[in-house]
Amino acid sequence: GDGPRVEDLCAGHFVEFIVEDEQGCIANATHQVPYPNCLDVRPIITPGQQDGLNDYILITCIEDFPNNTFELFNRWGQLVFQLRGYKNEPSLDNFRGTGNIGATNGRDLPEGAYFFVLKYVDDQGNDQTRKGYINLLR
């Protein structure tokens, strides 16, 4: 319609709408700005920059696929991070450049490229796998 418009929003951000009609009735709703492609993995993380940006691996729409496992391997093929039920909430144990397997547990991983394997169950109940690379910059 001709009412106020919301523009220039970033994918993943939440917008709260509050609407009041002529009778004074108020309704509100929260909407998450959709991602262009679900299950894209943020290709670069910069946890050492302390700027609040790109601090952890973000996987678009992962909350829609809670039955998932995210694995990260170093360039020698060693598993350095694994998490079941990956979520994008920064307060959780998502990948921020620190290993959680074996000798890497609790240690900052070196800068470089890492190979990921994301396994999830789709909305039809089928097992799916996505693979790719992320770059960890310090």
Side-chain angles (χ1 to χ4, degrees), residues 51-63:
D51 58 4
L53 303 173
N54 303 320
D55 289 342
Y56 62 92
I57 290 181
L58 178 106
I59 306 170
T60 57
C61 311
I62 194 63
E63 291 81 8

Side-chain angles (χ1 to χ4, degrees), residues 13-18 28-33:
H13 286 190
F14 288 92
V15 179
E16 184 175 13
F17 295 96
I18 301 170
N28 57 338
T30 302
H31 176 73
Q32 186 174 22
V33 179

Side-chain angles (χ1 to χ4, degrees), residues 1-53:
D2 298 350
R5 295 177 49 86
V6 178
E7 298 177 344
D8 298 324
L9 298 172
C10 293
H13 286 190
F14 288 92
V15 179
E16 184 175 13
F17 295 96
I18 301 170
V19 179
E20 184 174 356
D21 68 12
E22 290 88 17
Q23 285 79 39
C25 293
I26 295 176
N28 57 338
T30 302
H31 176 73
Q32 186 174 22
V33 179
Y35 292 96
N37 297 304
C38 274
L39 299 172
D40 280 351
V41 177
R42 177 184 284 160
I44 296 173
I45 66 164
T46 57
Q49 292 185 1
Q50 302 296 316
D51 58 4
L53 303 173

Side-chain angles (χ1 to χ4, degrees), residues 2-3 8 10 17 25 31 35 46-47 58-59 69 74 90-91 95 100 102-103 106 114 126 131 133-134 137:
D2 298 350
D8 298 324
C10 293
F17 295 96
C25 293
H31 176 73
Y35 292 96
T46 57
L58 178 106
I59 306 170
T69 302
N74 66 16
S91 61
F95 183 72
N100 71 359
Y114 290 81
N126 298 314
K131 299 176 181 180
Y133 290 91
I134 64 110
L137 303 178

Side-chain angles (χ1 to χ4, degrees), residues 59 62 65-71 81-86 117-121 128 130:
I59 306 170
I62 194 63
F65 304 94
N67 189 356
N68 71 69
T69 302
F70 182 80
E71 297 174 325
F81 181 87
Q82 181 179 47
L83 186 61
R84 293 187 195 284
Y86 198 95
V117 177
L118 173 61
K119 298 175 184 173
Y120 63 98
V121 177
Q128 302 289 346
R130 289 192 95 146

